Amino acid sequence: MIDLLKHQTLIVRQKVELFEAFTQLETKNQYTVSTPDGHSLLYAYEESGALGRIFLKNHRPLSIHVVDNKNQPVLTASRRFFWFLSHLHVQDGHGRVVGSLRRRFNLLSRRFTIEDSAGTVLAEIRGPLLRPNTFIIYKQEEIGRVTKQWSGIGREVFTDADTFRVEMDTTKMNQDFGLLMLASALAIDLDFFEK
C-alpha cells in the first residue's frame, strides 16, 4: 500500500466527463491523485446509482474507491443519503475503519470534524466564508490545508470537474490521518463544489 506520508502535497484532480458537460446530467465522479510535479499515485472512482445522481444530487448515497497504480485498494469512502449534514465513513484498503468526516452546522463558516474509528474528534476542518476555496485543518494548530485550484475558464464554466491541492504537515500525523486528509478533499468536493 502507498505511504501517503511521503508526500506533503497531493493534487486531486477530477476527470472531466464530456457527457456531463453537454447534458448537465451528473455522472460518476472520477479523480486522479498525483504529486505536484504530475507523478500519478492513485485513481478514485465513484460507485452510485443513476437515479440518486439525477434526483438526490449531492445528497446521494455513494462510495468512492481509491486504488493505486497496480489497482490495489487504498481506501473506500462511503456515505448514506442525508438531508442536511453529510457523514463520510473512511476505510483503508483492507476494509479497516480508520475514521470519518462529519459535516457540522455553522452559520459563519463551512466545517467538518475529522473523527477516528471510535468517533473521537481528531481535528477540525474550517472553510472561512470570505475564502471560499480554502479549507484549513486544525489540531490545536494548522496541520493541513485543502485548496480548490482555478481550473481554467472552460472547466470552471462548463463542468463541475475541480482540482484540489492537499497540503499536510506529515510530521504531525500517522498513515490513518493521511487517508482522512485525502478523503477530506473528496468530502469538500462532494459537499461544496458538486453543483
Side-chain angles (χ1 to χ4, degrees):
M1 187 161 81
I2 191 165
D3 183 4
L4 290 179
L5 300 183
K6 288 183 179 177
H7 309 281
Q8 290 189 326
T9 303
L10 299 171
I11 304 298
V12 179
R13 183 169 284 118
Q14 188 174 2
K15 183 179 175 188
V16 174
E17 293 292 336
L18 294 178
F19 179 78
E20 184 176 328
F22 288 114
T23 65
Q24 297 301 305
L25 291 174
E26 186 67 37
T27 59
K28 295 178 182 179
N29 291 320
Q30 298 177 56
Y31 304 86
T32 58
V33 180
S34 61
T35 61
D37 61 1
H39 177 70
S40 178
L41 298 173
L42 303 168
Y43 173 74
Y45 60 94
E46 176 183 340
E47 181 183 346
S48 64
L51 292 177
R53 289 192 306 277
I54 293 169
F55 295 110
L56 302 176
K57 307 284 186 194
N58 64 338
H59 295 268
R60 67 189 179 273
L62 57 78
S63 292
I64 296 183
H65 303 279
V66 180
V67 296
D68 64 16
N69 291 329
K70 296 177 183 174
N71 210 30
Q72 296 300 308
V74 174
L75 78 81
T76 299
S78 60
R79 70 177 187 200
R80 295 183 182 135
F81 167 77
F82 64 96
W83 286 107
F84 300 108
L85 302 173
S86 67
H87 189 182
L88 191 69
H89 302 273
V90 181
Q91 299 176 331
D92 68 9
H94 303 292
R96 181 179 60 85
V97 176
V98 295
S100 64
L101 290 113
R102 186 184 303 263
R103 186 150 171 217
R104 298 294 184 179
F105 178 76
N106 191 292
L107 288 175
L108 301 177
S109 69
R110 296 153 301 152
R111 291 192 182 210
F112 287 91
T113 51
I114 298 176
E115 302 172 356
D116 66 12
S117 59
T120 304
V121 174
L122 301 174
E124 185 177 66
I125 301 173
R126 298 179 202 155
L129 287 179
L130 297 178
R131 294 172 59 193
N133 293 347
T134 303
F135 295 81
I136 303 166
I137 293 85
Y138 291 97
K139 190 175 184 178
Q140 285 116 17
E141 62 184 345
E142 182 179 336
I143 60 166
R145 186 176 286 236
V146 177
T147 309
K148 181 185 176 298
Q149 306 288 288
W150 172 255
S151 299
I153 190 75
R155 281 176 71 120
E156 295 288 337
V157 172
F158 298 109
T159 75
D160 64 0
D162 299 308
T163 301
F164 295 90
R165 182 181 185 90
V166 180
E167 299 171 280
M168 307 179 278
D169 184 347
T170 55
T171 63
K172 296 182 179 169
M173 56 188 70
N174 59 22
Q175 182 69 15
D176 285 356
F177 200 90
L179 292 173
L180 291 166
M181 285 288 297
L182 175 57
S184 70
L186 303 173
I188 288 166
D189 182 45
L190 292 168
D191 276 23
F192 301 113
F193 299 104
E194 181 81 1
K195 298 174 185 167

